[in-house]
Amino acid sequence: MKTVVVDGQTYRLDDQDPRVLVGTGGEADVYWFEPNQEFIRRHGDNRYVVKIAHPAETKAQKRTARERQDRLSSVPWGQLPDNVIAPVALAYDASQQEAIGYVMVYVPDAVPLSDFKTAEFRETNSITIEHLMRIMANLHATVNAIHASGFVIGDFNDKNVLVTPDLEVWMIDADSLQYEGWESPAFTETFVDPKIIAPHPDRPSALIKTGAFSQATDWYAFAVMLFQLVVGIHPYMD
């Protein structure tokens, strides 16, 4: 049983019940979050999930945890467009000393943009080129709105874009967005601008980030996504 404190109220998550787990990743797990009436009064009557970081064990993980807490509590999430799934409220550990995650709105019936790359998915769901262009036009407008709000997406890839049945787009993983001094901490190899990466000095098969994310690198990632949807392959891969 996990205990989290949100808005000063204690919630217990039965993390042993698979029905409670929405998704899992390398750095965090996402659980269904059942808010009380005070939370609903304050934040709205929506379906919510809570993203909880894995416990920090190594020195590097503990440093990342400190940076996550500072980022979550400092970045003005309210400036983001409505279709960016930003933190609604921070989730603290039982001591209320460490922000270990955040509550966010759940988007029902959405699938990642990456699904649209496959011919099988498009055929099964009768997706046409017109549908793809509508999705990308909506994503184009979203990227412009994110930039206008003062943010850079940074680790922009087709798994942190969700598409609903009406072809609207939603951005997730807002906690990795870049804002002023808060840099986006990771990159996805197939979508990162090659101008800001280089081979690792000790492990040539690995890559390291050598430059900063920017609006231009976001548009590079957007162009790769558009190319893949239209042509069916990555522009720089066989």
Side-chain angles (χ1 to χ4, degrees):
M1 189 76 70
K2 286 184 180 295
T3 298
V4 297
V5 180
V6 179
D7 289 344
Q9 299 293 310
T10 299
Y11 294 85
R12 289 179 173 81
L13 309 173
D14 186 0
D15 57 340
Q16 301 303 309
D17 185 347
R19 295 171 298 179
V20 177
L21 182 66
V22 179
T24 186
E27 297 182 348
D29 294 326
V30 178
Y31 301 92
W32 290 114
F33 180 75
E34 300 296 339
N36 60 25
Q37 288 302 310
E38 175 61 22
F39 184 97
I40 292 172
R41 185 192 65 78
R42 182 178 299 182
H43 301 291
D45 189 8
N46 298 295
R47 190 75 192 272
Y48 293 98
V49 292
V50 58
K51 182 176 182 179
I52 303 296
H54 296 158
E57 297 177 354
T58 67
K59 288 184 178 179
Q61 290 172 341
K62 291 177 180 178
R63 182 174 62 251
T64 298
R66 289 193 297 271
E67 292 172 352
R68 178 182 62 250
Q69 174 159 330
D70 291 343
R71 175 192 290 265
L72 286 174
S73 58
S74 301
V75 172
W77 305 109
Q79 293 181 190
L80 285 164
D82 290 342
N83 62 331
V84 177
I85 307 301
V88 171
L90 301 189
Y92 290 86
D93 64 3
S95 71
Q96 301 188 51
Q97 299 301 307
E98 180 184 356
I100 57 175
Y102 60 92
V103 179
M104 57 186 168
V105 173
Y106 174 72
V107 182
D109 303 320
V111 296
L113 181 61
S114 56
D115 286 3
F116 288 79
K117 291 187 299 189
T118 69
E120 180 181 2
F121 180 87
R122 293 197 297 267
E123 291 170 5
T124 300
N125 294 279
S126 302
I127 301 296
T128 66
I129 188 66
E130 288 78 13
H131 293 138
L132 297 178
M133 292 304 97
R134 281 178 55 192
I135 292 168
M136 294 308 290
N138 290 336
L139 183 57
H140 187 277
T142 298
V143 175
N144 272 325
I146 290 172
H147 290 168
S149 70
F151 287 78
V152 166
I153 301 171
D155 185 19
F156 190 14
N157 61 78
D158 58 6
K159 293 188 183 297
N160 58 24
V161 178
L162 299 182
V163 183
T164 54
D166 59 0
L167 305 184
E168 293 298 323
V169 299
W170 296 78
M171 294 290 305
I172 59 172
D173 294 337
D175 53 321
S176 69
L177 294 183
Q178 185 167 290
Y179 181 81
E180 294 184 350
W182 301 101
E183 294 188 6
S184 184
F187 65 86
T188 301
E189 183 175 339
T190 51
F191 291 98
V192 65
D193 188 333
K195 293 179 181 178
I196 66 166
I197 56 173
H200 192 287
D202 302 318
R203 293 179 287 124
S205 60
L207 297 172
I208 57 172
K209 191 156 79 75
T210 56
F213 285 118
S214 65
Q215 293 185 10
T217 64
D218 283 352
W219 288 120
Y220 173 88
F222 177 91
V224 172
M225 293 179 211
L226 178 60
F227 189 95
Q228 287 189 142
L229 288 177
V230 174
V231 181
I233 59 173
H234 190 283
Y236 298 125
M237 293 186 179
D238 295 334

PDB file of all heavy atoms in Angstrom, residues 5-38:
ATOM      1  N   VAL A   5       0.325  12.143   0.022  1.00  0.00           N
ATOM      2  CA  VAL A   5      -0.399  13.281   0.584  1.00  0.00           C
ATOM      3  C   VAL A   5      -0.587  14.313  -0.516  1.00  0.00           C
ATOM      4  O   VAL A   5       0.396  14.767  -1.132  1.00  0.00           O
ATOM      5  CB  VAL A   5       0.357  13.889   1.777  1.00  0.00           C
ATOM      6  CG1 VAL A   5      -0.413  15.079   2.340  1.00  0.00           C
ATOM      7  CG2 VAL A   5       0.578  12.838   2.855  1.00  0.00           C
ATOM      8  N   VAL A   6      -1.826  14.668  -0.790  1.00  0.00           N
ATOM      9  CA  VAL A   6      -2.171  15.632  -1.836  1.00  0.00           C
ATOM     10  C   VAL A   6      -3.042  16.718  -1.224  1.00  0.00           C
ATOM     11  O   VAL A   6      -4.059  16.415  -0.590  1.00  0.00           O
ATOM     12  CB  VAL A   6      -2.917  14.940  -2.998  1.00  0.00           C
ATOM     13  CG1 VAL A   6      -3.292  15.956  -4.069  1.00  0.00           C
ATOM     14  CG2 VAL A   6      -2.078  13.819  -3.595  1.00  0.00           C
ATOM     15  N   ASP A   7      -2.637  17.959  -1.388  1.00  0.00           N
ATOM     16  CA  ASP A   7      -3.369  19.088  -0.806  1.00  0.00           C
ATOM     17  C   ASP A   7      -3.590  18.899   0.701  1.00  0.00           C
ATOM     18  O   ASP A   7      -4.639  19.253   1.254  1.00  0.00           O
ATOM     19  CB  ASP A   7      -4.726  19.275  -1.490  1.00  0.00           C
ATOM     20  CG  ASP A   7      -4.598  19.805  -2.906  1.00  0.00           C
ATOM     21  OD1 ASP A   7      -3.515  20.313  -3.255  1.00  0.00           O
ATOM     22  OD2 ASP A   7      -5.583  19.733  -3.660  1.00  0.00           O
ATOM     23  N   GLY A   8      -2.609  18.278   1.362  1.00  0.00           N
ATOM     24  CA  GLY A   8      -2.701  18.081   2.806  1.00  0.00           C
ATOM     25  C   GLY A   8      -3.557  16.912   3.227  1.00  0.00           C
ATOM     26  O   GLY A   8      -3.652  16.620   4.424  1.00  0.00           O
ATOM     27  N   GLN A   9      -4.147  16.205   2.269  1.00  0.00           N
ATOM     28  CA  GLN A   9      -4.996  15.054   2.573  1.00  0.00           C
ATOM     29  C   GLN A   9      -4.257  13.760   2.243  1.00  0.00           C
ATOM     30  O   GLN A   9      -3.582  13.665   1.217  1.00  0.00           O
ATOM     31  CB  GLN A   9      -6.290  15.114   1.755  1.00  0.00           C
ATOM     32  CG  GLN A   9      -7.131  16.349   2.033  1.00  0.00           C
ATOM     33  CD  GLN A   9      -7.695  16.344   3.444  1.00  0.00           C
ATOM     34  OE1 GLN A   9      -8.283  15.364   3.895  1.00  0.00           O
ATOM     35  NE2 GLN A   9      -7.507  17.454   4.150  1.00  0.00           N
ATOM     36  N   THR A  10      -4.399  12.758   3.108  1.00  0.00           N
ATOM     37  CA  THR A  10      -3.715  11.481   2.918  1.00  0.00           C
ATOM     38  C   THR A  10      -4.565  10.540   2.076  1.00  0.00           C
ATOM     39  O   THR A  10      -5.766  10.376   2.310  1.00  0.00           O
ATOM     40  CB  THR A  10      -3.423  10.819   4.277  1.00  0.00           C
ATOM     41  OG1 THR A  10      -2.563  11.680   5.032  1.00  0.00           O
ATOM     42  CG2 THR A  10      -2.738   9.472   4.091  1.00  0.00           C
ATOM     43  N   TYR A  11      -3.925   9.939   1.077  1.00  0.00           N
ATOM     44  CA  TYR A  11      -4.573   8.946   0.220  1.00  0.00           C
ATOM     45  C   TYR A  11      -3.732   7.677   0.239  1.00  0.00           C
ATOM     46  O   TYR A  11      -2.492   7.744   0.276  1.00  0.00           O
ATOM     47  CB  TYR A  11      -4.677   9.443  -1.226  1.00  0.00           C
ATOM     48  CG  TYR A  11      -5.575  10.636  -1.422  1.00  0.00           C
ATOM     49  CD1 TYR A  11      -5.094  11.925  -1.228  1.00  0.00           C
ATOM     50  CD2 TYR A  11      -6.906  10.480  -1.816  1.00  0.00           C
ATOM     51  CE1 TYR A  11      -5.908  13.038  -1.415  1.00  0.00           C
ATOM     52  CE2 TYR A  11      -7.731  11.578  -2.010  1.00  0.00           C
ATOM     53  CZ  TYR A  11      -7.225  12.848  -1.804  1.00  0.00           C
ATOM     54  OH  TYR A  11      -8.043  13.936  -1.997  1.00  0.00           O
ATOM     55  N   ARG A  12      -4.401   6.535   0.200  1.00  0.00           N
ATOM     56  CA  ARG A  12      -3.703   5.253   0.152  1.00  0.00           C
ATOM     57  C   ARG A  12      -4.013   4.563  -1.160  1.00  0.00           C
ATOM     58  O   ARG A  12      -5.183   4.437  -1.534  1.00  0.00           O
ATOM     59  CB  ARG A  12      -4.081   4.387   1.354  1.00  0.00           C
ATOM     60  CG  ARG A  12      -3.498   4.926   2.655  1.00  0.00           C
ATOM     61  CD  ARG A  12      -3.867   4.099   3.868  1.00  0.00           C
ATOM     62  NE  ARG A  12      -3.145   4.587   5.038  1.00  0.00           N
ATOM     63  CZ  ARG A  12      -3.520   5.641   5.756  1.00  0.00           C
ATOM     64  NH1 ARG A  12      -4.612   6.312   5.419  1.00  0.00           N
ATOM     65  NH2 ARG A  12      -2.815   6.025   6.806  1.00  0.00           N
ATOM     66  N   LEU A  13      -2.948   4.151  -1.853  1.00  0.00           N
ATOM     67  CA  LEU A  13      -3.069   3.500  -3.153  1.00  0.00           C
ATOM     68  C   LEU A  13      -2.708   2.034  -3.001  1.00  0.00           C
ATOM     69  O   LEU A  13      -1.602   1.706  -2.554  1.00  0.00           O
ATOM     70  CB  LEU A  13      -2.133   4.155  -4.177  1.00  0.00           C
ATOM     71  CG  LEU A  13      -2.206   5.681  -4.309  1.00  0.00           C
ATOM     72  CD1 LEU A  13      -1.099   6.174  -5.225  1.00  0.00           C
ATOM     73  CD2 LEU A  13      -3.571   6.096  -4.837  1.00  0.00           C
ATOM     74  N   ASP A  14      -3.593   1.163  -3.370  1.00  0.00           N
ATOM     75  CA  ASP A  14      -3.335  -0.270  -3.275  1.00  0.00           C
ATOM     76  C   ASP A  14      -2.511  -0.680  -4.498  1.00  0.00           C
ATOM     77  O   ASP A  14      -3.040  -1.133  -5.506  1.00  0.00           O
ATOM     78  CB  ASP A  14      -4.652  -1.050  -3.218  1.00  0.00           C
ATOM     79  CG  ASP A  14      -4.419  -2.540  -2.974  1.00  0.00           C
ATOM     80  OD1 ASP A  14      -3.240  -2.947  -2.853  1.00  0.00           O
ATOM     81  OD2 ASP A  14      -5.408  -3.291  -2.905  1.00  0.00           O
ATOM     82  N   ASP A  15      -1.195  -0.481  -4.391  1.00  0.00           N
ATOM     83  CA  ASP A  15      -0.322  -0.750  -5.534  1.00  0.00           C
ATOM     84  C   ASP A  15      -0.155  -2.243  -5.805  1.00  0.00           C
ATOM     85  O   ASP A  15       0.493  -2.620  -6.790  1.00  0.00           O
ATOM     86  CB  ASP A  15       1.047  -0.092  -5.335  1.00  0.00           C
ATOM     87  CG  ASP A  15       1.735  -0.536  -4.062  1.00  0.00           C
ATOM     88  OD1 ASP A  15       1.048  -1.030  -3.147  1.00  0.00           O
ATOM     89  OD2 ASP A  15       2.964  -0.390  -3.975  1.00  0.00           O
ATOM     90  N   GLN A  16      -0.733  -3.099  -4.980  1.00  0.00           N
ATOM     91  CA  GLN A  16      -0.691  -4.535  -5.243  1.00  0.00           C
ATOM     92  C   GLN A  16      -1.884  -4.986  -6.088  1.00  0.00           C
ATOM     93  O   GLN A  16      -1.917  -6.124  -6.566  1.00  0.00           O
ATOM     94  CB  GLN A  16      -0.682  -5.315  -3.920  1.00  0.00           C
ATOM     95  CG  GLN A  16       0.494  -4.983  -3.020  1.00  0.00           C
ATOM     96  CD  GLN A  16       1.829  -5.203  -3.694  1.00  0.00           C
ATOM     97  OE1 GLN A  16       2.074  -6.283  -4.251  1.00  0.00           O
ATOM     98  NE2 GLN A  16       2.690  -4.199  -3.674  1.00  0.00           N
ATOM     99  N   ASP A  17      -2.839  -4.108  -6.285  1.00  0.00           N
ATOM    100  CA  ASP A  17      -4.025  -4.421  -7.086  1.00  0.00           C
ATOM    101  C   ASP A  17      -3.773  -3.976  -8.517  1.00  0.00           C
ATOM    102  O   ASP A  17      -3.647  -2.773  -8.782  1.00  0.00           O
ATOM    103  CB  ASP A  17      -5.240  -3.698  -6.503  1.00  0.00           C
ATOM    104  CG  ASP A  17      -6.534  -4.064  -7.217  1.00  0.00           C
ATOM    105  OD1 ASP A  17      -6.474  -4.675  -8.308  1.00  0.00           O
ATOM    106  OD2 ASP A  17      -7.614  -3.732  -6.684  1.00  0.00           O
ATOM    107  N   PRO A  18      -3.684  -4.904  -9.464  1.00  0.00           N
ATOM    108  CA  PRO A  18      -3.377  -4.527 -10.853  1.00  0.00           C
ATOM    109  C   PRO A  18      -4.424  -3.605 -11.461  1.00  0.00           C
ATOM    110  O   PRO A  18      -4.136  -2.896 -12.426  1.00  0.00           O
ATOM    111  CB  PRO A  18      -3.310  -5.874 -11.578  1.00  0.00           C
ATOM    112  CG  PRO A  18      -4.063  -6.828 -10.707  1.00  0.00           C
ATOM    113  CD  PRO A  18      -3.859  -6.352  -9.312  1.00  0.00           C
ATOM    114  N   ARG A  19      -5.617  -3.580 -10.915  1.00  0.00           N
ATOM    115  CA  ARG A  19      -6.659  -2.700 -11.445  1.00  0.00           C
ATOM    116  C   ARG A  19      -6.386  -1.241 -11.114  1.00  0.00           C
ATOM    117  O   ARG A  19      -6.949  -0.341 -11.745  1.00  0.00           O
ATOM    118  CB  ARG A  19      -8.024  -3.114 -10.875  1.00  0.00           C
ATOM    119  CG  ARG A  19      -8.497  -4.492 -11.303  1.00  0.00           C
ATOM    120  CD  ARG A  19      -9.730  -4.899 -10.526  1.00  0.00           C
ATOM    121  NE  ARG A  19      -9.446  -4.998  -9.089  1.00  0.00           N
ATOM    122  CZ  ARG A  19     -10.352  -5.318  -8.173  1.00  0.00           C
ATOM    123  NH1 ARG A  19     -11.596  -5.563  -8.541  1.00  0.00           N
ATOM    124  NH2 ARG A  19     -10.025  -5.383  -6.899  1.00  0.00           N
ATOM    125  N   VAL A  20      -5.528  -1.009 -10.124  1.00  0.00           N
ATOM    126  CA  VAL A  20      -5.204   0.356  -9.712  1.00  0.00           C
ATOM    127  C   VAL A  20      -4.091   0.942 -10.579  1.00  0.00           C
ATOM    128  O   VAL A  20      -4.002   2.153 -10.769  1.00  0.00           O
ATOM    129  CB  VAL A  20      -4.806   0.384  -8.225  1.00  0.00           C
ATOM    130  CG1 VAL A  20      -4.384   1.777  -7.781  1.00  0.00           C
ATOM    131  CG2 VAL A  20      -5.959  -0.114  -7.364  1.00  0.00           C
ATOM    132  N   LEU A  21      -3.242   0.081 -11.126  1.00  0.00           N
ATOM    133  CA  LEU A  21      -2.115   0.523 -11.936  1.00  0.00           C
ATOM    134  C   LEU A  21      -2.576   0.836 -13.361  1.00  0.00           C
ATOM    135  O   LEU A  21      -3.121  -0.015 -14.050  1.00  0.00           O
ATOM    136  CB  LEU A  21      -1.034  -0.560 -11.964  1.00  0.00           C
ATOM    137  CG  LEU A  21       0.245  -0.229 -12.727  1.00  0.00           C
ATOM    138  CD1 LEU A  21       1.003   0.914 -12.047  1.00  0.00           C
ATOM    139  CD2 LEU A  21       1.141  -1.475 -12.828  1.00  0.00           C
ATOM    140  N   VAL A  22      -2.340   2.069 -13.793  1.00  0.00           N
ATOM    141  CA  VAL A  22      -2.709   2.491 -15.145  1.00  0.00           C
ATOM    142  C   VAL A  22      -1.585   2.231 -16.127  1.00  0.00           C
ATOM    143  O   VAL A  22      -1.794   1.802 -17.262  1.00  0.00           O
ATOM    144  CB  VAL A  22      -3.085   3.987 -15.156  1.00  0.00           C
ATOM    145  CG1 VAL A  22      -3.442   4.459 -16.566  1.00  0.00           C
ATOM    146  CG2 VAL A  22      -4.235   4.249 -14.203  1.00  0.00           C
ATOM    147  N   GLY A  23      -0.352   2.504 -15.702  1.00  0.00           N
ATOM    148  CA  GLY A  23       0.801   2.296 -16.571  1.00  0.00           C
ATOM    149  C   GLY A  23       2.076   2.350 -15.770  1.00  0.00           C
ATOM    150  O   GLY A  23       2.111   2.858 -14.643  1.00  0.00           O
ATOM    151  N   THR A  24       3.132   1.822 -16.347  1.00  0.00           N
ATOM    152  CA  THR A  24       4.422   1.800 -15.657  1.00  0.00           C
ATOM    153  C   THR A  24       5.525   2.193 -16.617  1.00  0.00           C
ATOM    154  O   THR A  24       5.429   1.973 -17.831  1.00  0.00           O
ATOM    155  CB  THR A  24       4.695   0.403 -15.065  1.00  0.00           C
ATOM    156  OG1 THR A  24       5.904   0.449 -14.284  1.00  0.00           O
ATOM    157  CG2 THR A  24       4.835  -0.640 -16.149  1.00  0.00           C
ATOM    158  N   GLY A  25       6.572   2.816 -16.084  1.00  0.00           N
ATOM    159  CA  GLY A  25       7.695   3.239 -16.904  1.00  0.00           C
ATOM    160  C   GLY A  25       8.994   3.085 -16.152  1.00  0.00           C
ATOM    161  O   GLY A  25       9.029   2.597 -15.010  1.00  0.00           O
ATOM    162  N   GLY A  26      10.078   3.519 -16.791  1.00  0.00           N
ATOM    163  CA  GLY A  26      11.385   3.346 -16.184  1.00  0.00           C
ATOM    164  C   GLY A  26      11.605   4.202 -14.953  1.00  0.00           C
ATOM    165  O   GLY A  26      12.386   3.844 -14.073  1.00  0.00           O
ATOM    166  N   GLU A  27      10.906   5.354 -14.878  1.00  0.00           N
ATOM    167  CA  GLU A  27      11.129   6.266 -13.770  1.00  0.00           C
ATOM    168  C   GLU A  27       9.929   6.421 -12.841  1.00  0.00           C
ATOM    169  O   GLU A  27      10.070   6.926 -11.728  1.00  0.00           O
ATOM    170  CB  GLU A  27      11.520   7.652 -14.307  1.00  0.00           C
ATOM    171  CG  GLU A  27      12.831   7.656 -15.089  1.00  0.00           C
ATOM    172  CD  GLU A  27      13.218   9.038 -15.555  1.00  0.00           C
ATOM    173  OE1 GLU A  27      12.356   9.951 -15.462  1.00  0.00           O
ATOM    174  OE2 GLU A  27      14.354   9.223 -15.995  1.00  0.00           O
ATOM    175  N   ALA A  28       8.737   5.999 -13.303  1.00  0.00           N
ATOM    176  CA  ALA A  28       7.544   6.240 -12.491  1.00  0.00           C
ATOM    177  C   ALA A  28       6.441   5.270 -12.870  1.00  0.00           C
ATOM    178  O   ALA A  28       6.469   4.646 -13.935  1.00  0.00           O
ATOM    179  CB  ALA A  28       7.065   7.678 -12.679  1.00  0.00           C
ATOM    180  N   ASP A  29       5.460   5.150 -11.972  1.00  0.00           N
ATOM    181  CA  ASP A  29       4.237   4.390 -12.228  1.00  0.00           C
ATOM    182  C   ASP A  29       3.051   5.344 -12.131  1.00  0.00           C
ATOM    183  O   ASP A  29       3.099   6.353 -11.416  1.00  0.00           O
ATOM    184  CB  ASP A  29       4.067   3.258 -11.205  1.00  0.00           C
ATOM    185  CG  ASP A  29       5.139   2.196 -11.323  1.00  0.00           C
ATOM    186  OD1 ASP A  29       5.584   1.932 -12.456  1.00  0.00           O
ATOM    187  OD2 ASP A  29       5.542   1.648 -10.280  1.00  0.00           O
ATOM    188  N   VAL A  30       1.978   5.006 -12.855  1.00  0.00           N
ATOM    189  CA  VAL A  30       0.773   5.830 -12.850  1.00  0.00           C
ATOM    190  C   VAL A  30      -0.383   4.996 -12.303  1.00  0.00           C
ATOM    191  O   VAL A  30      -0.610   3.867 -12.758  1.00  0.00           O
ATOM    192  CB  VAL A  30       0.445   6.344 -14.266  1.00  0.00           C
ATOM    193  CG1 VAL A  30      -0.846   7.159 -14.258  1.00  0.00           C
ATOM    194  CG2 VAL A  30       1.604   7.185 -14.804  1.00  0.00           C
ATOM    195  N   TYR A  31      -1.093   5.563 -11.318  1.00  0.00           N
ATOM    196  CA  TYR A  31      -2.191   4.864 -10.655  1.00  0.00           C
ATOM    197  C   TYR A  31      -3.483   5.673 -10.778  1.00  0.00           C
ATOM    198  O   TYR A  31      -3.455   6.912 -10.896  1.00  0.00           O
ATOM    199  CB  TYR A  31      -1.891   4.683  -9.164  1.00  0.00           C
ATOM    200  CG  TYR A  31      -0.628   3.916  -8.861  1.00  0.00           C
ATOM    201  CD1 TYR A  31       0.584   4.579  -8.681  1.00  0.00           C
ATOM    202  CD2 TYR A  31      -0.651   2.527  -8.755  1.00  0.00           C
ATOM    203  CE1 TYR A  31       1.748   3.868  -8.399  1.00  0.00           C
ATOM    204  CE2 TYR A  31       0.511   1.812  -8.467  1.00  0.00           C
ATOM    205  CZ  TYR A  31       1.696   2.490  -8.300  1.00  0.00           C
ATOM    206  OH  TYR A  31       2.850   1.789  -8.024  1.00  0.00           O
ATOM    207  N   TRP A  32      -4.597   4.969 -10.713  1.00  0.00           N
ATOM    208  CA  TRP A  32      -5.872   5.665 -10.597  1.00  0.00           C
ATOM    209  C   TRP A  32      -5.885   6.439  -9.290  1.00  0.00           C
ATOM    210  O   TRP A  32      -5.404   5.961  -8.272  1.00  0.00           O
ATOM    211  CB  TRP A  32      -7.045   4.686 -10.606  1.00  0.00           C
ATOM    212  CG  TRP A  32      -7.291   4.029 -11.927  1.00  0.00           C
ATOM    213  CD1 TRP A  32      -7.163   2.705 -12.230  1.00  0.00           C
ATOM    214  CD2 TRP A  32      -7.724   4.670 -13.132  1.00  0.00           C
ATOM    215  NE1 TRP A  32      -7.475   2.478 -13.546  1.00  0.00           N
ATOM    216  CE2 TRP A  32      -7.824   3.663 -14.124  1.00  0.00           C
ATOM    217  CE3 TRP A  32      -8.027   5.993 -13.464  1.00  0.00           C
ATOM    218  CZ2 TRP A  32      -8.218   3.948 -15.428  1.00  0.00           C
ATOM    219  CZ3 TRP A  32      -8.415   6.274 -14.761  1.00  0.00           C
ATOM    220  CH2 TRP A  32      -8.513   5.261 -15.734  1.00  0.00           C
ATOM    221  N   PHE A  33      -6.461   7.634  -9.323  1.00  0.00           N
ATOM    222  CA  PHE A  33      -6.537   8.480  -8.143  1.00  0.00           C
ATOM    223  C   PHE A  33      -7.993   8.847  -7.903  1.00  0.00           C
ATOM    224  O   PHE A  33      -8.643   9.432  -8.779  1.00  0.00           O
ATOM    225  CB  PHE A  33      -5.703   9.747  -8.351  1.00  0.00           C
ATOM    226  CG  PHE A  33      -5.719  10.697  -7.182  1.00  0.00           C
ATOM    227  CD1 PHE A  33      -4.989  10.414  -6.043  1.00  0.00           C
ATOM    228  CD2 PHE A  33      -6.457  11.874  -7.230  1.00  0.00           C
ATOM    229  CE1 PHE A  33      -4.994  11.284  -4.959  1.00  0.00           C
ATOM    230  CE2 PHE A  33      -6.465  12.749  -6.163  1.00  0.00           C
ATOM    231  CZ  PHE A  33      -5.728  12.456  -5.021  1.00  0.00           C
ATOM    232  N   GLU A  34      -8.504   8.453  -6.744  1.00  0.00           N
ATOM    233  CA  GLU A  34      -9.899   8.737  -6.395  1.00  0.00           C
ATOM    234  C   GLU A  34      -9.933   9.908  -5.412  1.00  0.00           C
ATOM    235  O   GLU A  34      -9.706   9.740  -4.223  1.00  0.00           O
ATOM    236  CB  GLU A  34     -10.548   7.495  -5.771  1.00  0.00           C
ATOM    237  CG  GLU A  34     -10.555   6.275  -6.681  1.00  0.00           C
ATOM    238  CD  GLU A  34     -11.392   6.481  -7.945  1.00  0.00           C
ATOM    239  OE1 GLU A  34     -12.274   7.373  -7.939  1.00  0.00           O
ATOM    240  OE2 GLU A  34     -11.164   5.762  -8.927  1.00  0.00           O
ATOM    241  N   PRO A  35     -10.199  11.116  -5.905  1.00  0.00           N
ATOM    242  CA  PRO A  35     -10.131  12.293  -5.035  1.00  0.00           C
ATOM    243  C   PRO A  35     -11.330  12.408  -4.103  1.00  0.00           C
ATOM    244  O   PRO A  35     -12.401  11.861  -4.380  1.00  0.00           O
ATOM    245  CB  PRO A  35     -10.128  13.450  -6.040  1.00  0.00           C
ATOM    246  CG  PRO A  35     -10.923  12.925  -7.199  1.00  0.00           C
ATOM    247  CD  PRO A  35     -10.576  11.456  -7.280  1.00  0.00           C
ATOM    248  N   ASN A  36     -11.144  13.149  -3.017  1.00  0.00           N
ATOM    249  CA  ASN A  36     -12.278  13.430  -2.141  1.00  0.00           C
ATOM    250  C   ASN A  36     -13.028  14.655  -2.664  1.00  0.00           C
ATOM    251  O   ASN A  36     -12.633  15.292  -3.644  1.00  0.00           O
ATOM    252  CB  ASN A  36     -11.826  13.611  -0.686  1.00  0.00           C
ATOM    253  CG  ASN A  36     -10.834  14.755  -0.521  1.00  0.00           C
ATOM    254  OD1 ASN A  36     -10.790  15.689  -1.310  1.00  0.00           O
ATOM    255  ND2 ASN A  36     -10.032  14.679   0.529  1.00  0.00           N
ATOM    256  N   GLN A  37     -14.107  15.005  -2.008  1.00  0.00           N
ATOM    257  CA  GLN A  37     -14.952  16.101  -2.471  1.00  0.00           C
ATOM    258  C   GLN A  37     -14.231  17.450  -2.424  1.00  0.00           C
ATOM    259  O   GLN A  37     -14.463  18.318  -3.264  1.00  0.00           O
ATOM    260  CB  GLN A  37     -16.239  16.154  -1.652  1.00  0.00           C
ATOM    261  CG  GLN A  37     -17.198  15.023  -1.951  1.00  0.00           C
ATOM    262  CD  GLN A  37     -17.593  14.984  -3.424  1.00  0.00           C
ATOM    263  OE1 GLN A  37     -17.993  15.998  -3.996  1.00  0.00           O
ATOM    264  NE2 GLN A  37     -17.484  13.813  -4.033  1.00  0.00           N
ATOM    265  N   GLU A  38     -13.358  17.633  -1.448  1.00  0.00           N
ATOM    266  CA  GLU A  38     -12.612  18.885  -1.362  1.00  0.00           C
ATOM    267  C   GLU A  38     -11.691  19.054  -2.568  1.00  0.00           C
ATOM    268  O   GLU A  38     -11.563  20.150  -3.125  1.00  0.00           O
ATOM    269  CB  GLU A  38     -11.808  18.930  -0.060  1.00  0.00           C
ATOM    270  CG  GLU A  38     -10.900  20.139   0.092  1.00  0.00           C
ATOM    271  CD  GLU A  38     -11.671  21.466   0.082  1.00  0.00           C
ATOM    272  OE1 GLU A  38     -12.883  21.475   0.377  1.00  0.00           O
ATOM    273  OE2 GLU A  38     -11.042  22.501  -0.241  1.00  0.00           O
TER     274      GLU A  38
END
